[in-house]
Amino acid sequence: MAVCARLCGVGHPGGCRRRQQRRGAGSETELEDGEEEEEVRIEVQPAPRGPRNLLQLPPEILVEIFSCLPGTDLPLLALVCRKFRQILTTDTIWKRRCKREYGVHENLRKMDVTGVSCREVYVKLLHQYRNILGLWQPDLGPYGGLLNVVVDGFFIIGWMYLPPHDPHVDEPMRLKPVFRIHLMEKKSATVECMYGPKGPHNGQIQMEKKDQFCTKCLQTDYHRMSGGRQEEFRTWLRDDLGRTLDDIFHEHMQELILMKFIYICQYDNCLTYRRIYHPPSQPGDLLKPGFFKGTYGSHGLEIVMLSFHGTTAKATKITGDPNVPAGQPTLEIDLARPVRLPSLEQLRNLDALSLLILEIHNQINREQRLAGSEEEAGNSLADHPQESLPILRPAEREADERADPQPPELQSFALPEEVMARNEDYPRSCKMCFFGTGLIAGHGFSSPERTPGLFILFDDDRFGFIWLELKSFSLYSRMRDKFQNSQPPSLEAFEEMLRAMQLWTT
């Protein structure tokens, strides 16, 4: 069918523009003799009709579209029609979901050896056990711990973090597998307990609550050694603590008995884990929050979590001891009360440092008493002038930082001679110091109290604390491990977790 091209006015009722121009020109100039009006006609083929719905798209296009959808939406998509259901059997779609949602970067063609498809890996392994991925604290009384459940190749593995051998806080953490889950057949995933000298064996995992699960070994005889339980405990001391029974028996006999009881019993029964989060980072934090390993006097190395709450920083115990259990805020640092260190000669004298710290401590007590009395009397603070040390408040500190963006000058640092340190390899300079309090208690968390001390920020990855009453120094070093699936859904959820942690161990 011949139609006018209408080069510049498609569909115009007056015809094509070229014809209009000729007619317009004819009104002014005459056509030459014998010249006829020319009409340009072009044969135009009708445009092919494209697909009107998804069902008319080629299968390879549908595979690309479906691969971009979350795996949780694909089962509903399979209910639409038979064609969609057939396309969703394409392993390419599930391979991409395994990679994008769970970080599986292995060559998934290895699964062909076992006859298990990528779809089965996603549905029966990754999706089914997605709720246990992340960080957890085992319910081991005062000792606590840190478990990281991750996707590792075609496995889901629970790694227990053990501190370095005392007192080497700068060494990397030691990892010990607690359990693993894998898909070796089409029916269901297999859970295996990883403890004991005889290799992996049958285990079980149960999700009890949203943020809680438990593990159970189904073959506890695999934990036994030929030398009996005494040999098991000696092996545990050597591998996990790096010490022998003779080294610590006389110093910590009561603690040793309790630890032996925990080691023997914890894997013969259900072990419960509760979810914990990585501390969130906020603008203006003194340093990046996270997990640190530090020295704790006669208790060796423990793991703490450093978090920031306005003008206060907290170090919460992830692993604990019979005196101060896991979950308790072992350190609280007042970021509104920086401390300028005296000269090195004065710093080596514990009395001079104690006088400086106790003066701030007494001032805080005076402010608290005054605030309480004014509240009772209904008077304002302006009516009662008070003595105060020249302490830099947060607003003043921010204004000072805007005026002088230069980083703070490093201060020389040395421990007082009377202070005991398990690790003498500490930095000899620091960035900043603040007043803080440390939590101390008797055996069984009896008579807990907060005592004054000095928080020392050495650099972005190390800090220390001097316990004045204990005359002890703790050095902390950052854990550099990358924790996935560990960010809290909100700041409120993190605060609620901290409150719950204190209740777990008390």
Side-chain angles (χ1 to χ4, degrees), residues 243-254 256-257:
R243 308 179 72 181
T244 66
L245 190 62
D246 297 333
D247 291 338
I248 60 176
F249 182 78
H250 296 290
E251 299 177 11
H252 314 287
M253 184 172 63
Q254 294 297 327
L256 199 59
I257 294 174

Side-chain angles (χ1 to χ4, degrees), residues 140-156:
L140 290 177
Y143 295 97
L146 181 62
L147 179 80
N148 189 21
V149 183
V150 299
V151 176
D152 189 349
F154 303 124
F155 295 88
I156 291 178

Side-chain angles (χ1 to χ4, degrees), residues 312-474:
T312 302
K314 294 182 180 180
T316 303
K317 279 195 172 187
I318 301 300
T319 60
D321 51 68
N323 291 71
V324 179
Q328 297 298 321
T330 180
L331 302 179
E332 290 189 0
I333 301 98
D334 191 343
L335 301 177
R337 301 179 189 274
V339 176
R340 183 68 184 180
L341 295 179
S343 63
L344 276 180
E345 182 178 351
Q346 292 178 315
L347 190 58
R348 294 185 182 279
N349 185 346
L350 181 59
D351 293 337
L353 179 62
S354 298
L355 183 62
L356 180 64
I357 299 301
L358 291 177
E359 187 174 2
I360 300 177
H361 183 61
N362 293 333
Q363 178 192 351
I364 294 175
N365 291 336
R366 291 195 301 268
E367 292 175 354
Q368 291 176 347
R369 289 195 301 268
L370 184 58
S373 61
E374 289 176 348
E375 184 177 358
E376 293 177 0
N379 297 326
S380 64
L381 290 175
D383 297 332
H384 297 272
Q386 55 180 306
E387 299 179 4
S388 62
L389 294 174
I391 294 175
L392 196 62
R393 301 297 176 184
E396 297 172 353
R397 192 166 69 244
E398 292 176 3
D400 185 66
E401 289 174 354
R402 288 193 295 268
D404 184 12
Q406 298 298 324
E409 182 181 354
L410 292 178
Q411 305 179 54
S412 298
F413 177 79
L415 284 176
E417 297 177 354
E418 299 92 334
V419 173
M420 179 190 70
R422 296 184 69 85
N423 192 332
E424 294 290 344
D425 188 21
Y426 60 87
R428 292 323 194 250
S429 63
C430 63
K431 297 173 64 175
M432 302 179 74
C433 296
F434 295 89
F435 172 84
T437 59
L439 183 61
I440 63 174
H443 191 86
F445 199 45
S446 60
S447 305
E449 62 174 325
R450 307 208 66 85
T451 62
L454 179 67
F455 174 85
I456 310 105
L457 176 62
F458 293 113
D459 51 45
D460 292 340
D461 296 319
R462 289 177 295 180
F463 64 87
F465 190 80
I466 296 178
W467 311 70
L468 289 184
E469 184 169 333
L470 301 178
K471 297 182 179 180
S472 176
F473 170 72
S474 295

Side-chain angles (χ1 to χ4, degrees), residues 137 274-277 305 307 309 314 316 326-329 490-506:
Q137 188 174 49
R274 298 181 178 89
R275 184 181 295 279
I276 61 175
Y277 298 113
M305 175 176 62
S307 58
H309 313 265
K314 294 182 180 180
T316 303
Q328 297 298 321
S490 64
L491 185 60
E492 292 74 18
F494 179 78
E495 296 283 356
E496 178 61 29
M497 180 211 71
L498 287 182
R499 290 189 290 268
M501 286 179 66
Q502 296 185 43
L503 300 177
W504 296 344
T505 53
T506 55

